[in-house]
Amino acid sequence: MIIPIIKPGQEGSEVSKYHPISSLDTEGKGLEKIMINRINHHVYSRGYMNENQYGFRPQKCTIDVAMAIKDFVQGLAAGEVIALISLDVQGAFDADWWPAILNELWECKCPKNLYELTKSYFSQRIVSWSTNSLRMDKEISRGYPRGRVVGQDYGTCNTTHCWN
């Protein structure tokens, strides 16, 4: 079930003014955590993840990328010129299309049992949106609401540690 919580300082009924919070049960969150750990193990142990990618990675955050840029710039010889391109994908977890994720798992030769479990997990997903006066059910094929293990904030950190 999805519970809409109004964003701070927002008023009105527009969907963009609410955070969708998932109330997934403990068993579901446990299954998600196991799946994420197994997928991450496969991807990292086979070298499918680029070490220069900082977004959507556990234990990586904006401070890590800022330090890497600082180290790179300090290593340049006097007079060298660099160009920096940065990409900030707003709402990326909201837009993750599950068939594309399954395709990527297939392409990186994910173990068949893990691939089939993920495929089953993504099939026939229904989200229930509930307010005081309204309840709607809808089948979904993309995204992760807040409160789920899958969509937890990769890349958030404080000044000394990155958290997952």
Side-chain angles (χ1 to χ4, degrees):
M1 177 177 297
I2 300 294
I3 302 165
I5 305 293
I6 194 151
K7 294 177 181 177
Q10 300 287 323
E11 291 183 21
S13 59
E14 296 171 32
V15 173
S16 64
K17 296 184 179 200
Y18 291 84
H19 289 297
I21 307 297
S22 174
S23 60
L24 184 65
D25 60 24
T26 303
E27 292 83 8
K29 287 183 179 184
L31 175 62
E32 285 185 355
K33 189 68 172 175
I34 291 168
M35 289 172 57
I36 291 168
N37 287 340
R38 291 185 63 200
I39 289 170
N40 279 341
H41 174 74
H42 175 74
V43 168
Y44 292 113
S45 68
R46 305 288 192 293
Y48 290 113
M49 185 61 72
N50 182 337
E51 287 301 316
N52 293 321
Q53 177 178 330
Y54 291 86
F56 307 102
R57 303 238 355 236
Q59 306 302 315
K60 296 281 187 172
C61 66
T62 54
I63 291 173
D64 292 315
V65 73
M67 293 303 292
I69 292 169
K70 176 184 164 273
D71 292 344
F72 178 78
V73 171
Q74 286 179 337
L76 292 175
E80 286 188 279
V81 177
I82 62 169
L84 174 67
I85 299 172
S86 177
L87 177 64
D88 182 12
V89 182
Q90 183 178 359
F93 280 112
D94 298 335
D96 281 344
W97 189 46
W98 300 341
I101 293 170
L102 290 170
N103 186 57
E104 289 297 319
L105 289 174
W106 183 262
E107 292 291 320
C108 74
K109 298 173 179 55
C110 183
K112 185 175 181 178
N113 62 341
L114 182 55
Y115 176 83
E116 291 298 329
L117 177 64
T118 306
K119 185 177 177 181
S120 173
Y121 178 80
F122 283 154
S123 68
Q124 299 177 346
R125 299 300 298 220
I126 305 292
V127 66
S128 297
W129 183 268
S130 181
T131 66
N132 290 340
S133 60
L134 177 68
R135 179 185 167 108
M136 295 180 0
D137 294 334
K138 180 181 178 187
E139 188 167 349
I140 57 173
S141 63
R142 68 175 58 232
Y144 309 96
R146 293 170 185 250
R148 303 281 299 270
V149 175
V150 172
Q152 284 183 348
D153 296 349
Y154 282 96
T156 59
C157 60
N158 67 15
T159 57
T160 57
H161 294 90
C162 296
W163 304 95
N164 176 356

